[in-house]
Structure formats: C-alpha cells, structure tokens
Amino acid sequence: MANTRPLRLKSETAKRSDRQAALVDPVVEVWVDNSIPHLDGLFDYLIPSRLEEQVEAGMRISVDFSGREVEALVIRRTTKPSTGGLKFISKVLSPHIVAPAGLIMLIEQACKRWLGHPYDFLRGAIPPQIASVDKSFSQSALDIGVFKNQSPSRTFIHLQPHEDALAKLAEFATARAMKGSVLVILPEDRELQRLFNILDGRACVLTASLSRSERYGNYLLSLAGGNQIVIGTRSGIFSYPPDLKTLIVYREGAESHYEPRFPGWNVRDLALLRAESEPLDLFFIGYVPCTETAVLLESGEMKLLAKSNHLSVSNFEAANGELLPGRIFAAIRKALKTGPVLFLVPRKGYASSLMCKKCRNIAACDCGGKISRRKLSVAAECVHCSKRFAELKCEWCQSDFFMLLGRGGERHLEEIGRAFPGFPVIYSTADAPISEVESKSSLVVATSGMEPLVPGGYSAVVLLEGDSFFSFSDLRAQERAREAFFAAASLVAVNGEIVAVVNSANPIVAALSKWDPKTLTRRELEQRKEVALPPFSRAMYLDVESTEATAIVNGLKKALFDQRLPKSSRIMGPSQQKSGISRILLTADVEDSEAFLKFLSEYLRHRAISKKKSVSIRVDAYSLS
C-alpha cells in the first residue's frame, strides 16, 4: 500500500499596509498599463516613506489599479495640496531610469499623432525587465541627460552607384561618433547584422531577434554610454543615449519601418518628431526619398546631399509580353563575357495564379483565395489557407488543363537558364537569401532587396518585367518600384550596363541614366496633390463590423455637416474587406490634422465609454488598401 503524503500548509504573505508618505514630493504622476484605451491619462499615487529615496521619474513601479497589481511608469514627482484617498505604490520594479525625459516627451507627442495609449508605445520602446540584468548595472552608471530645444539639421543623403551602401554608412556613423553618440535605424535584421560585422562589433545592438536578456542589457547600455554607436531595427527609434548627436534612418520609406500592430507608428515620422525637440542632426539615407521626405526636400525643410552620375542604360520593350525581348540577348551575352549578370524580378514563386485553358476561369479555392504554384515540382496551393491540390480541375468546365499566369522568380530561373545555357544560375529570395557571389560569369536571379553583392559589381543589371513593378494597386507602388530599380542598378560595375525591360514611355530609364529620381518624385507629388492624397493629407482608416458601418459613416457625415470635423475632411466607404468587416477611409488636409485627430480621438473615447464595439484604427498606414 502506498504511503500517504503528509499535508503541507500553504503559506500566504500578508499585503504590506503603508501608512506614512514620503516627506518630499510625496505624489507621483504615472502612466498605468491598464489595457483600457480611454484611461490613458496620468494617475496619482503616494510614495511610501520606505521608498522615498528610490522613486524617480522614468522608473517602472507596481501599483494597485482597480484591485489588481499592474506596471506603471513614473512621469514626475510632485507635491499636491490634497492627497486624500490616494493609494500607495506597491514597489519599485527596477532601480534604473528606463524612460528618459526625452522618451516621455516623444511618447506624449506620439499618442496624439497616432491616437494610442502610452503603453501601446512603451511596450515596444522599453524591453521587458530582467531582474538578473538589473543587478549587473549600478544606478550611478545611468546618468540620463535632458534635452534642450535647438534648431535641428535635417539632411537626405542620396546613395551613389558602384559603392557598398552599408560600408559607407558604417564609415559615416564612425566619423559622426567623434562628436557624440550615433543612433542608426535599419529596416531589416539582415542589414543590421551586416552593418554590425562591418563595424567589427563596435556597436550596441537593439533588435527583437536578440534574447530577452541581451536586448534588455543592451537597452540599459544604450542609456549609459557616451560616444557610442547604437544600431537597431524599428523599435530602436525609442533609444535615448545621453549624448546623442546624430540620428540616421536608412531607407526611411521601407515598409519594415512601419509598426504592423496598433497604433501603427513609423520610424520616419518619429525621427522627425525627435528632430524638432532634440539637439541632434537627422539624416535619412537611401536611393530614393519616399513621398513624405520628397515634400520636405521640395519645400527646403530638408537638405539634399547628392552627386551627379551618368550610367549606361538601355531599354528594350516587350512587344508581346515575352520575358526577354529579342534584341536584349546580345547585351546580356556581351556582359557574361566579363562577369555575372543580375536579373531583378518582381515576385517570387513560380506562378501567381492559374487560369483554365478552355474557359479562361481563374482557379480559386473554397475559401476564396487564388490558387498559385510556388514551384513546378510542388502541387498548386491556395495563397490564403495553403490547401494543396494534387489534381486540379476547373469548377466551371471540369477541364484539367491550366495556364500559368504571373511569372514568379522560379519560372524566370528556368527560362533564363534555358536562354543562356552553360552558365551557373543563382536564385536569391527572402526565403533563401544569398549575401554574396563570386565575380565570375553567372546568371543571378533575385527579388527586390535580396540582390547578392559582387566584388567590383555586376557586368550588367537586367530589370525584368519593369511594368509589373509599377502596376501594384497600393499607394506605395510607385515609390517602391523606384527604390527597387535604383537599389539594383547601384550594384552595376563602373563600366557595366543597366538593361531595362519596361515601357519606353516610362521616365525611370532617364532617371537611372542621370541617377536623379527628382523628376519622378516631383511628378508623383503633383498627382497626389491634385487628388488630396498623402503626404498632402492626413489619412486614417477604420475597420468596423459591417452591420455598424453605414451608421458610423452617417454619423461622421453629420459631424462634417455640423463643422465638428474640418471642412477639408473626406469620408470614403464603407468598402468590404473580409467576412463581416468593412473599412471606412477618412482624410483631411495636413493643415487641419490637429483638429481632425482631436475629433476622432474624442469619438473613439466616447465609443469606449459607451461600451460600444471597438473599432480597429490606423493613422497614416503604409498602405490604405
């Protein structure tokens, strides 16, 4: 018979009852991590006498909020005439100041700009606390400076061809670090890792790919050191080295610079907010400025640092949709005699969709998604639910003969390999990136941003299906295509040639030959200004339940009629997005953005207080579609 275990009493710890408040500045104003959108203001708590010497602005503490212990951030200590009914803070979570005065100011501005709760920003800005890391830092080491307002310097540096962009960035950051700390924000982890290697590890890294301990430790280091180089991805924009003099954003228009979760802030606009209130020089570095940056360049609010260059560019138009027009073969064969040739393709995979050869019906899954093929050797599958179709038949005519539509990189690889036999073929995509290839004759096929580097550059860079790059329906398609073309063209050798397969009327060919995207960006800005689209307007969309969409639109139209919304406001939609969800698009001129955002903030707060169904909101998203 098994022995019966003796009973063990469960111990309980009595909750501390503080009675004596601190003698000097006994009240703290805090932001509370309460997960309630409309309770985003400051809350007052008392500091117990036992913690009088420990609590400072910028520290994380624990407080009792509505019967549960939650984290809070100390904004300031103060003296208030009446402290009756205030609760005492429970404990100090970390002995370190993790939110300098500049970060608190930035988050206050960001909350108004993107209609978020302070903790929506703080969760991304400050890594979670690790007690073991806290113990390894002394409080005296974290000497946080306070910024004073100063007229900032803002510059866009146009990257040049025939040079390693990240190597030049490392050289520039190292030189600037002599004047004070440098913060560099890059869109992708692979770019950050390469920059770190070029700097020989002489940088403090802030990225979500680090372990929790490393990330928190590096964050504390970034607050403590002087004349350091701090490099990071998106959330690194919230880093505040005490002697920061230079802020650099690499490829400021990249989609990865946009926070995908609510409230959807972006690095570029946060950097501009910082430049308005901090004594630092702001540099955007890239091949093509995004439209928001182009407006600043046109108005003279940002300086342009560029050089004149002339590249050899030829254009071959595809008359019947062929991948390689007839006359292009001679240029590619000539280039292959001296080195590798890069082929830039618009999309990965094998075919983006399948069409019935008999009745011309586009193949679709039961869930509504298109059926595509990633590889010739792999069965067709749905782009939404990933359901595979070993045997595919047309649901209309039952035919099993299908045509492949929308060439992908895999198919380009086959066709280019057959067109130029005897040369090794290399394929680089986000799924299987290749960082560098040898400078010997080869065919390199790559999607945008995944182009391998070659010592000395490519003998030729071929921009395939150029019209496809510009044909995407979202608002950013044009600037994304320009960035892709300039970035790929920059990898050409000094005596190499750029070969474009694009409509002869497209001005991208002239822009590449002069290495000047100004004409293209100015043209797009004029078009956007005519129809009042960003960057000349503040844009926002609301994703709501379809059953409420019409009522919400009618309410917004009434607010516009009653002049509670600015006159420049435009209300579009609702449009169906997915099952049960509709989207309402709102825009207003930039000059009216303060009143526009204030009304919508009050509207969302009223909905929350009334306990109505929450709506998903996004201000100035990367794409409005």
Side-chain angles (χ1 to χ4, degrees):
M1 190 172 85
N3 293 329
T4 304
R5 288 186 178 182
L7 294 174
R8 297 181 64 182
L9 295 177
K10 184 178 180 181
S11 63
E12 288 191 16
T13 304
K15 190 173 182 180
R16 186 191 298 271
S17 178
D18 289 302
R19 297 182 182 277
Q20 182 65 42
L23 297 177
V24 179
D25 292 337
V27 178
V28 286
E29 295 178 347
V30 301
W31 284 331
V32 178
D33 187 7
N34 51 34
S35 302
I36 304 174
H38 62 283
L39 297 182
D40 55 353
L42 293 170
F43 293 86
D44 292 343
Y45 283 84
L46 281 173
I47 303 172
S49 57
R50 61 187 172 85
L51 299 177
E52 182 167 11
E53 301 299 324
Q54 300 178 35
V55 179
E56 296 184 54
M59 282 185 171
R60 289 193 279 209
I61 61 173
S62 178
V63 300
D64 179 355
F65 187 86
S66 191
R68 61 192 180 99
E69 285 294 318
V70 297
E71 182 185 303
L73 183 78
V74 178
I75 304 304
R76 63 184 68 90
R77 285 183 66 163
T78 183
T79 301
K80 292 197 174 180
S82 175
T83 58
L86 293 184
K87 296 179 181 178
F88 284 92
I89 68 174
S90 304
K91 60 182 176 181
V92 175
L93 295 177
S94 170
H96 303 308
I97 297 172
V98 292
L103 176 58
I104 292 172
M105 186 192 310
L106 179 65
I107 290 177
E108 286 175 341
Q109 294 172 305
C111 287
K112 296 176 183 177
R113 176 70 170 74
W114 285 280
L115 308 183
H117 188 288
Y119 260 87
D120 292 330
F121 296 92
L122 286 170
R123 289 188 202 99
I126 306 173
Q129 181 212 3
I130 305 294
S132 60
V133 176
D134 273 337
K135 292 176 183 178
S136 65
F137 285 83
S138 64
Q139 177 65 41
S140 60
L142 298 176
D143 183 17
I144 307 301
V146 178
F147 292 109
K148 297 178 181 179
N149 287 340
Q150 182 175 315
S151 180
S153 164
R154 298 192 286 189
T155 308
F156 180 85
I157 299 178
H158 188 210
L159 291 170
Q160 299 302 302
H162 321 308
E163 65 182 24
D164 187 333
L166 290 177
K168 287 290 183 181
L169 174 57
E171 183 183 329
F172 180 67
T174 302
R176 295 289 304 186
M178 301 296 290
K179 302 178 181 180
S181 289
V182 177
L183 175 60
V184 184
I185 307 299
L186 303 101
E188 305 289 348
D189 257 324
R190 57 184 174 77
E191 294 169 329
L192 180 141
Q193 185 58 51
R194 186 162 175 269
L195 179 61
F196 182 73
N197 294 337
I198 295 171
L199 290 167
D200 294 324
R202 293 177 288 103
C204 179
V205 178
L206 299 173
T207 175
S209 62
L210 297 173
S211 67
R212 292 182 65 193
S213 295
E214 285 181 308
R215 187 181 172 207
Y216 184 52
N218 285 0
Y219 179 77
L220 293 180
L221 281 173
S222 73
L223 296 177
N227 292 91
Q228 60 179 323
I229 298 176
V230 180
I231 61 176
T233 49
R234 188 169 55 236
S235 293
I237 188 64
F238 294 105
S239 176
Y240 270 78
D243 63 336
L244 183 66
K245 296 299 180 186
T246 306
L247 173 56
I248 301 170
V249 180
Y250 182 67
R251 298 200 296 117
E252 88 287 354
E255 186 174 1
S256 296
H257 279 314
Y258 284 71
E259 172 60 47
R261 296 162 296 184
F262 179 80
W265 49 267
N266 68 76
V267 170
R268 179 196 61 248
D269 289 345
L270 283 173
L272 290 169
L273 285 175
R274 291 189 65 166
E276 290 175 3
S277 57
E278 300 173 29
L280 53 81
D281 295 322
L282 173 63
F283 295 92
F284 290 161
I285 298 179
Y287 291 102
V288 179
C290 66
T291 50
E292 288 83 359
T293 303
V295 168
L296 297 176
L297 293 170
E298 288 292 321
S299 64
E301 295 178 57
M302 178 171 276
K303 295 182 292 184
L304 174 64
L305 189 60
K307 297 178 182 177
S308 59
N309 270 287
H310 292 280
L311 303 182
S312 174
V313 183
S314 55
N315 182 46
F316 299 89
E317 189 170 356
N320 299 303
E322 65 272 21
L323 178 64
L324 297 169
R327 294 182 298 115
I328 203 174
F329 284 82
I332 296 174
R333 288 194 185 102
K334 179 183 177 182
L336 283 169
K337 293 178 181 179
T338 57
V341 174
L342 172 66
F343 295 85
L344 183 70
V345 297
R347 63 185 73 84
K348 61 180 181 178
Y350 192 78
S352 59
S353 60
L354 307 177
M355 182 175 71
C356 176
K357 197 170 184 178
K358 185 177 179 182
C359 69
R360 305 294 177 178
N361 176 55
I362 302 294
C365 178
D366 297 334
C367 72
K370 284 185 179 181
I371 297 175
S372 70
R373 175 161 273 168
R374 290 187 295 111
K375 294 182 180 179
L376 185 61
S377 58
V378 176
E381 64 179 28
C382 174
V383 296
H384 289 169
C385 67
S386 299
K387 179 181 176 181
R388 294 203 171 191
F389 298 85
E391 295 181 2
L392 187 62
K393 286 190 176 183
C394 177
E395 62 179 271
W396 297 101
C397 68
Q398 301 303 308
S399 171
D400 57 359
F401 291 97
F402 285 86
M403 297 170 59
L404 302 175
L405 300 179
R407 294 184 185 95
E410 292 274 356
R411 194 175 174 196
H412 286 109
L413 201 67
E414 288 182 4
E415 296 185 23
I416 292 169
R418 286 197 298 264
F420 301 97
F423 294 98
V425 183
I426 299 166
Y427 185 42
S428 178
T429 66
D431 298 330
I434 297 172
S435 58
E436 191 170 334
V437 296
E438 297 178 10
S439 56
K440 62 181 182 181
S441 299
S442 59
L443 305 165
V444 181
V445 179
T447 52
S448 178
M450 295 296 120
E451 306 92 340
L453 296 178
V454 174
Y458 288 94
S459 296
V461 173
V462 184
L463 309 172
L464 291 175
E465 293 194 63
D467 294 327
S468 294
F469 280 91
F470 292 93
S471 65
F472 292 95
S473 59
D474 68 296
L475 192 65
R476 301 282 179 178
Q478 301 295 311
E479 67 180 54
R480 199 165 53 238
R482 292 194 294 267
E483 174 83 12
F485 277 30
F486 270 81
S490 71
L491 301 177
V492 74
V494 175
N495 297 319
E497 185 177 9
I498 298 164
V499 182
V501 182
V502 68
N503 189 297
S504 57
N506 196 315
I508 187 67
V509 175
L512 286 171
S513 64
K514 297 177 183 177
W515 202 250
D516 184 7
K518 232 183 323 186
T519 305
L520 294 175
T521 54
R522 189 174 292 142
R523 175 179 170 181
E524 186 176 4
L525 287 177
E526 290 172 357
Q527 293 171 346
R528 290 201 188 186
K529 192 171 185 177
E530 287 177 5
V531 291
L533 281 174
F536 299 102
S537 65
R538 184 75 66 231
M540 171 195 298
Y541 64 72
L542 304 174
D543 284 345
V544 303
E545 291 192 6
S546 298
T547 53
E548 274 196 293
T550 303
I552 291 174
V553 168
N554 290 337
L556 292 170
K557 287 181 177 178
K558 187 177 185 305
L560 180 59
F561 180 78
D562 295 339
Q563 297 185 358
R564 287 179 289 139
L565 269 172
K567 289 182 180 180
S568 63
S569 301
R570 290 166 292 280
I571 304 163
M572 292 164 271
S575 60
Q576 194 72 26
Q577 291 297 301
K578 55 185 178 181
S579 180
I581 300 295
S582 294
R583 176 166 294 179
I584 302 166
L585 180 62
L586 308 169
T587 65
D589 291 350
V590 170
E591 294 78 10
D592 297 326
S593 61
E594 186 176 345
F596 177 66
L597 293 173
K598 184 178 179 182
F599 170 84
L600 289 163
S601 175
E602 292 172 353
Y603 170 74
L604 294 172
R605 190 181 299 273
H606 177 74
R607 281 186 65 90
I609 294 171
S610 304
K611 296 185 178 179
K612 293 183 179 179
K613 292 178 180 177
S614 62
V615 299
S616 176
I617 185 171
R618 191 57 58 91
V619 178
D620 288 341
Y622 178 77
S623 176
L624 300 179
S625 56

